[in-house]
Amino acid sequence: MALRSLAAKKTLASAAAAGLGGVGQARGLKTFTLPDLPYDYGALEPAISGEIMQLHHQKHHQTYITNYNKALEQLHHAIESGDASTAVKLQSAIKFNGGGHINHSIFWQNLAPVREGGGEPPHGNLGWAIDNDFGSLEALIKKMSAEGAAVQGSGWVWLGVDKEAKKLVVETTANQDPLVTKGGSLVPLLGIDVWEHAYYLQYKNVRPDYLKNIWKVINWKYASQIYEKECPKA
């Protein structure tokens, strides 16, 4: 019973920390559902096509959620039956699909149509922090674009804040690993998906062009809100 309760608490804590909505319940198990986008599929054009956004959201993100819920249900049954071997085997599927859900839920918030402020540079405390830690916003964009382009295979490039060091960091993660896998004190402010499904229909194999144009629809207001929450000024 204690192990089952702990598993449920960790699942919910992870969702809450990522700011994820769409948490339901089925047969006593907590389940996750696809969050709505805060804009229309075509609202980010021409930076990101409506076709890509629809496929990315409805197909790819939904698949991660479906497989995450399935793995959690299997874990529940394994714990109920005392099947430790199966519980251990399921950890990779939970990490991959759960990470895919967490990462994409952040990614949708990291984007905004130009008419709603997408691409507008950050101001206030986050703007000051970027200048202090990277020299300028332009230098940060150059660094993230270069590191995102250099990711081998599939993964993500992140701007995060180290809550302990009170410092901004740029990190990359492989596949669907969340930023927290790089350090327990890291909180994501901005994540850019560099899987091919995020850009291939529009940019083919030229990932740098995608990374150049996505900055036109980055929602710095959202990143600033998270930064203010995690690093409030005394």
Side-chain angles (χ1 to χ4, degrees):
M1 179 66 71
L3 182 57
R4 183 166 66 254
S5 298
L6 179 60
K9 288 179 180 178
K10 286 184 176 180
T11 298
L12 292 174
S14 298
L20 308 187
V23 181
Q25 189 161 345
R27 291 174 294 176
L29 294 174
K30 298 298 180 180
T31 59
F32 296 88
T33 57
L34 187 67
D36 293 332
L37 294 187
Y39 39 77
D40 294 335
Y41 288 124
L44 303 180
E45 292 183 348
I48 306 177
S49 74
E51 182 182 16
I52 286 178
M53 290 299 296
Q54 185 170 4
L55 287 170
H56 199 171
H57 179 248
Q58 291 185 355
K59 301 299 183 181
H60 292 279
H61 190 174
Q62 180 61 65
T63 297
Y64 293 123
I65 291 172
T66 299
N67 291 334
Y68 187 34
N69 287 332
K70 180 180 178 181
L72 290 174
E73 182 176 7
Q74 291 173 337
L75 177 63
H76 174 80
H77 292 314
I79 293 173
E80 285 269 321
S81 62
D83 186 353
S85 178
T86 296
V88 170
K89 290 177 182 177
L90 286 166
Q91 296 308 306
S92 60
I94 290 171
K95 178 183 178 183
F96 180 78
N97 293 293
H101 176 43
I102 291 169
N103 292 347
H104 282 88
S105 296
I106 295 169
F107 183 56
W108 308 135
Q109 298 294 328
N110 284 157
L111 305 173
V114 172
R115 65 177 179 272
E116 296 177 13
E120 291 182 5
H123 301 290
N125 291 335
L126 179 58
W128 283 107
I130 290 172
D131 288 343
N132 184 63
D133 292 336
F134 299 102
S136 66
L137 177 61
E138 292 73 19
L140 169 63
I141 290 174
K142 183 177 180 180
K143 179 178 177 62
M144 287 189 67
S145 297
E147 295 200 15
V151 170
Q152 295 184 356
S154 302
W156 293 74
V157 59
W158 300 94
L159 172 65
V161 59
D162 186 326
K163 293 177 63 176
E164 292 182 357
K166 304 296 183 183
K167 183 178 178 65
L168 298 176
V169 297
V170 171
E171 294 280 359
T172 60
T173 57
N175 300 314
Q176 292 297 348
D177 289 358
L179 179 59
V180 71
T181 60
K182 288 296 186 79
S185 64
L186 299 181
V187 176
L189 304 177
L190 171 65
I192 298 178
D193 189 345
V194 293
W195 280 65
E196 283 191 345
H197 65 234
Y199 62 87
Y200 196 85
L201 287 177
Q202 184 173 358
Y203 294 97
K204 307 307 179 189
N205 63 331
V206 190
R207 187 190 289 174
D209 284 355
Y210 159 70
L211 289 167
K212 176 182 178 181
N213 287 320
I214 198 171
W215 295 103
K216 299 174 183 176
V217 291
I218 289 296
N219 186 2
W220 286 107
K221 291 180 181 179
Y222 174 82
S224 294
Q225 289 171 0
I226 302 300
Y227 183 77
E228 295 285 352
K229 176 182 177 182
E230 299 296 339
C231 296
K233 291 294 183 181

